[in-house]
Amino acid sequence: MNEIAFYIPAVLLVLSAINVAFTRKPVWGLLSLMLCFLSTAVLWMGLGAEFLALALIFIYVGAVMALFLFIVFMLNVDSIPAAQLPLSNRLVLCLLVVLGGGILFHYAGVSDAVGNAYILPEQTKQLGIRLYQDYELAFEVMGIALLAAMLGAIALVLGDRKAL
């Protein structure tokens, strides 16, 4: 079971990273990047680095990706024609990524790190309890502010156009 809990986020991480590299739509690329961050956080949780995983989720997925989405919405990047790699270059790049991943998988001993995955220590539980008891209002206000800012950015971008 622990190996399945490792391989599912690992496969999601690789597939979403490939989508980030090859997608033509910037919003889909950013959503794939969010999935990369979340998959990485799940892997870090399994390896016992809970604080790093939570920091990755709160800081990068919460704040930085929201900022990237604002930039994409404000610049209206979808109207700019995207440069595209020829198919032969894409195939060579995919082959290099697969070979590099295979070499890392073979020599890094990934199966050794999977053994005791997904056991959350007591420290992470106490950190979560403390954050949501002592700083509950701050989390609520931050979430509402980010939601309002994102809705405002979408409203500014859509302007006079009808909402989809």
Side-chain angles (χ1 to χ4, degrees), residues 5 26 52 72 100:
L52 289 177
V72 167

Side-chain angles (χ1 to χ4, degrees), residues 8 43 50 53 68 99 125-126 135 149:
I8 290 174
L43 290 173
E50 295 85 12
F68 285 172
L99 286 175
K125 181 179 177 182
Q126 290 186 3
Y135 302 102

Side-chain angles (χ1 to χ4, degrees), residues 4-5 15 25 33 51 60 81 104 118 160:
I4 293 172
L15 292 177
K25 301 284 185 181
L33 189 58
F51 182 75
Y60 284 103
L104 283 174
Y118 299 96
D160 293 337

Side-chain angles (χ1 to χ4, degrees), residues 97-153:
V97 167
V98 168
L99 286 175
I103 290 170
L104 283 174
F105 182 77
H106 180 70
Y107 288 110
V110 174
S111 62
D112 296 336
V114 177
N116 294 326
Y118 299 96
I119 299 172
L120 297 177
E122 197 65 29
Q123 293 176 347
T124 305
K125 181 179 177 182
Q126 290 186 3
L127 177 66
I129 289 171
R130 173 140 180 162
L131 280 175
Y132 285 111
Q133 283 181 351
D134 296 344
Y135 302 102
E136 180 182 2
L137 182 63
F139 272 89
E140 299 269 342
V141 170
M142 180 185 65
I144 291 171
L146 284 173
L147 178 65
M150 193 173 298
L151 291 174

Side-chain angles (χ1 to χ4, degrees), residues 9-155:
V11 168
L12 278 174
L13 176 64
V14 170
L15 292 177
S16 60
I18 290 171
N19 193 34
V20 168
F22 291 120
T23 188
R24 289 183 173 185
K25 301 284 185 181
V27 174
W28 285 106
L30 288 174
L31 292 175
S32 295
L33 189 58
M34 281 186 189
L35 184 59
C36 284
F37 288 153
L38 291 173
S39 299
T40 304
V42 169
L43 290 173
W44 283 354
M45 281 284 221
L47 293 173
E50 295 85 12
F51 182 75
L52 289 177
L54 292 174
L56 180 74
I57 291 172
F58 286 140
I59 295 170
Y60 284 103
V61 176
V64 174
M65 293 308 299
L67 177 67
F68 285 172
L69 279 173
F70 292 159
I71 291 170
V72 167
F73 284 152
M74 289 299 184
L75 293 178
N76 199 11
V77 180
D78 283 335
S79 64
I80 301 172
Q84 186 177 6
L85 286 175
L87 183 62
S88 61
N89 289 358
R90 286 183 181 191
L91 292 176
V92 169
L93 183 61
C94 285
L95 180 66
L96 288 174
V97 167
V98 168
L99 286 175
I103 290 170
L104 283 174
F105 182 77
H106 180 70
Y107 288 110
V110 174
S111 62
D112 296 336
V114 177
N116 294 326
Y118 299 96
I119 299 172
L120 297 177
E122 197 65 29
Q123 293 176 347
T124 305
K125 181 179 177 182
Q126 290 186 3
L127 177 66
I129 289 171
R130 173 140 180 162
L131 280 175
Y132 285 111
Q133 283 181 351
D134 296 344
Y135 302 102
E136 180 182 2
L137 182 63
F139 272 89
E140 299 269 342
V141 170
M142 180 185 65
I144 291 171
L146 284 173
L147 178 65
M150 193 173 298
L151 291 174
I154 292 170

